[in-house]
Amino acid sequence: MITSDRMAAVDANAAALGVPRKQLMESSGNAVAHAVRERTAPDDRVAIVAGRGNNGGDAFVAARFLEDRDVTTLLLGRASTISTEIARENWTALSAAEHDVQEVRDSTALSGRGTDPGPATVLAEADLVVDAMLGTGVTGALREPAATAAEAINAADAPVVAVDVPSGIDADSGDAPGAAVEADHVVTFHDEKPGLGDLDASIEVADIGIPGAAELFVERGDLQLLDRASDSHKGDHGHVLVIGGGPYTGAPALTGQAALRAGADLVTVACPESVADEVQSYSESLITEPLPGDRVRPGHVDALLDLEADRTATVIGPGLGRDADTLDAAREFLASATGTVVVDADPLRVVPDVDPAERDATLLCTPHRGELAAMGGPENDEWRERADAVEDFAERLDATLLVKAPYDVISDGDETRVNRTGNPGMTAGGTGDVLAGICGALSSTQSPVQAGAIAAFVNGRAGDSVVDERGYGLLAADLLPEIPLAMWGDRDD
């Protein structure tokens, strides 16, 4: 099963890996044509009802493969408004070869009430109808002319083959908030969609050539999950709590600033009062919550839990140190926290001490390979072996692991991703603190695996930008201004 958002990301990842969307569309169209051919005979009349996006583009390709059928392609709208370049190219190819194509500019033509009954007649006389109006990325009730087209398709006395998902059906939920096409057969691509399970239709999953690497490796397509709603308000993208500092002041400050750069609306740094002013001095955007003394201790845990309860995500660890009292406090905090907690640096060693069966918190742990070994985890040099071993260890811990290495491995024991951005210059101290902050921000809006995977990609991409521009010798602070560019800059470079 794959959701529509994840499918869009995988599709874009395939393109980033060198498999162009146009090639995938050719494979998709061929799969649709094969399904039509299995259900019709030569010279049968096939009506294709196509939208102006890539779903319609798949159908334009299919029409080219169906020259031995009597195919008419009905485009809902003007060809000049086809929304993607590859769909437009396939429409042009279809038209240039003088296939039977018609632009449906008025929904009344589909119901036969207009002056030109052509489209209505095409549907009424069809031996099979192909629904290619809208794909998996569209939600909500159908608008005109698609709503009228759906009713006309349903009224036609012909079987219906839907491309990817029947138009009007939510691919993730199966809901139909308005008119929807009643398909007899669905040709969906790459993997089944959750919303197809309850349909009264046969489902065919077509392999269109998306490589497994597009799902395994984190790529630019994953950044699509970071798009924001136009009506967003303060707080919608997270208030992150950072628990750190004492022996060190720079680490929690880097983490807090990274969380802000990664899109968190607010960041509070809870740190010993001995370093609170120094942490605050790194940025006027950081909120500090001073804790009595010069170390985080068990006596602070109740106050920290109160802070954690009001935040969308917590990062614990940057700059805390290994003082026995501090580790006791971290252990107690992890055992009692209830939200999403990113665990970094020295507190990682106490994670195995907290029984997963008695823990309410959702953990995203960010060890490097040495810290993973100190947690009792696997030691593997080859990344493929490490990925399998990390997956097993994550399942045992009931936590998500982001294991930092030249190939980062991110796994929750069920889903596993691998990130390949980054470079040897990022061995500089503090880059892990930056990563933890990005994880904290993304954990406010994403699942732990997605948060860890995207954070690793963004952190490494930011480091790559610094090294490309300046060479080695980077400072962790150099990554901070690069984070927004790595997340929301040019995703197609």
Side-chain angles (χ1 to χ4, degrees), residues 8 13 22 27 75 94 96 100 102 106 119 125 153 191 248 309 325 327 351 366 370 372 390 394 409 433 468 490 492:
N13 284 351
K22 188 171 183 178
S27 298
L75 174 66
L94 199 62
D100 185 3
Q102 298 182 31
D106 188 336
E125 296 181 352
I153 290 171
D191 200 352
Y248 308 99
D325 278 353
L327 294 182
V351 169
T366 60
L372 182 68
V390 167
V409 174
D433 300 312
D468 286 347
D490 184 357
D492 298 317

Side-chain angles (χ1 to χ4, degrees), residues 222-469:
D222 289 280
L223 300 179
Q224 294 178 166
L225 294 173
L226 305 180
D227 290 340
R228 294 189 171 199
S230 59
D231 59 350
S232 296
H233 298 282
K234 183 191 291 186
D236 288 352
H237 303 99
H239 186 167
V240 176
L241 171 66
V242 177
I243 302 172
Y248 308 99
T249 57
L254 282 170
T255 299
Q257 291 175 93
L260 290 168
R261 292 289 192 175
D265 292 331
L266 295 166
V267 171
T268 295
V269 180
C271 57
E273 61 185 1
S274 60
V275 297
D277 288 345
E278 292 179 63
V279 171
Q280 175 70 76
S281 70
Y282 281 91
S283 172
E284 65 276 11
S285 296
L286 295 175
I287 304 166
T288 55
E289 189 72 33
L291 304 170
D294 60 359
R295 293 283 193 280
V296 172
R297 304 183 188 280
H300 299 137
V301 171
D302 286 345
L304 293 174
L305 290 171
D306 288 341
L307 291 170
E308 185 260 345
D310 292 331
R311 270 65 181 181
T312 52
T314 297
V315 182
I316 184 170
L320 279 181
R322 298 183 187 178
D323 182 85
D325 278 353
T326 299
L327 294 182
D328 285 344
R331 188 181 293 108
E332 185 179 336
F333 177 84
L334 294 176
S336 301
T338 57
T340 299
V341 181
V342 178
V343 187
D344 186 48
D346 292 308
L348 287 163
R349 63 186 59 237
V350 304
V351 169
D353 299 342
V354 182
D355 186 350
E358 299 179 3
R359 189 186 70 219
D360 291 327
T362 299
L363 301 188
L364 169 55
C365 303
T366 60
H368 55 59
R369 285 179 289 178
E371 290 169 330
L372 182 68
M375 295 171 69
E379 300 181 59
N380 303 85
D381 292 329
E382 204 276 326
W383 71 266
R384 292 175 184 84
E385 295 177 358
R386 188 184 324 123
D388 290 338
V390 167
E391 184 173 296
D392 291 341
F393 190 54
E395 184 175 14
R396 284 168 46 199
L397 285 179
D398 190 22
T400 299
L401 295 174
L402 192 178
V403 180
K404 298 174 285 192
Y407 278 41
D408 305 310
V409 174
I410 306 95
S411 181
D412 63 357
D414 181 37
E415 181 181 1
T416 298
R417 307 294 305 282
V418 176
N419 173 60
R420 300 181 293 181
T421 60
N423 60 78
M426 296 180 69
T427 56
T431 58
D433 300 312
V434 172
L435 174 62
I438 302 172
C439 285
L442 294 180
S443 292
S444 297
T445 60
Q446 308 294 326
S447 70
V449 168
Q450 285 292 1
I454 296 173
F457 179 83
V458 167
N459 194 54
R461 198 181 192 198
D464 289 343
S465 294
V466 173
V467 168
D468 286 347
E469 182 178 343

Side-chain angles (χ1 to χ4, degrees), residues 96-107:
E98 299 198 6
H99 288 261
D100 185 3
V101 297
Q102 298 182 31
E103 295 180 359
V104 181
R105 302 182 181 182
D106 188 336
S107 60

Side-chain angles (χ1 to χ4, degrees), residues 20-44:
R21 287 184 173 93
K22 188 171 183 178
Q23 180 176 320
L24 298 178
M25 183 173 286
E26 197 75 8
S27 298
S28 300
N30 195 7
V32 173
H34 179 75
V36 171
R37 215 175 279 116
E38 285 188 329
R39 290 163 177 79
T40 57
D43 298 324
D44 275 0

Side-chain angles (χ1 to χ4, degrees), residues 94-274:
L94 199 62
S95 303
E98 299 198 6
H99 288 261
D100 185 3
V101 297
Q102 298 182 31
E103 295 180 359
V104 181
R105 302 182 181 182
D106 188 336
S107 60
T108 58
L110 293 160
S111 60
R113 298 192 303 273
T115 57
D116 177 11
T121 302
V122 169
L123 288 173
E125 296 181 352
D127 296 302
L128 182 141
V129 178
V130 175
D131 162 33
M133 293 189 289
L134 299 172
T136 57
V138 181
T139 58
L142 293 180
R143 300 179 181 179
E144 294 295 353
T148 297
E151 293 171 357
I153 290 171
N154 293 340
D157 186 21
V160 178
V161 172
V163 178
D164 214 10
V165 62
S167 297
I169 299 292
D170 187 299
D172 294 332
S173 68
D175 294 338
V181 171
E182 298 168 2
D184 299 285
H185 183 73
V186 180
V187 182
T188 196
F189 307 127
H190 183 63
D191 200 352
E192 191 166 337
K193 313 308 183 295
L196 300 181
D198 293 331
L199 295 183
D200 185 18
S202 55
I203 309 297
E204 171 189 348
V205 178
D207 182 353
I208 59 173
I210 293 177
E215 292 203 62
L216 175 64
F217 293 122
V218 193
E219 265 295 347
R220 291 189 291 277
D222 289 280
L223 300 179
Q224 294 178 166
L225 294 173
L226 305 180
D227 290 340
R228 294 189 171 199
S230 59
D231 59 350
S232 296
H233 298 282
K234 183 191 291 186
D236 288 352
H237 303 99
H239 186 167
V240 176
L241 171 66
V242 177
I243 302 172
Y248 308 99
T249 57
L254 282 170
T255 299
Q257 291 175 93
L260 290 168
R261 292 289 192 175
D265 292 331
L266 295 166
V267 171
T268 295
V269 180
C271 57
E273 61 185 1
S274 60

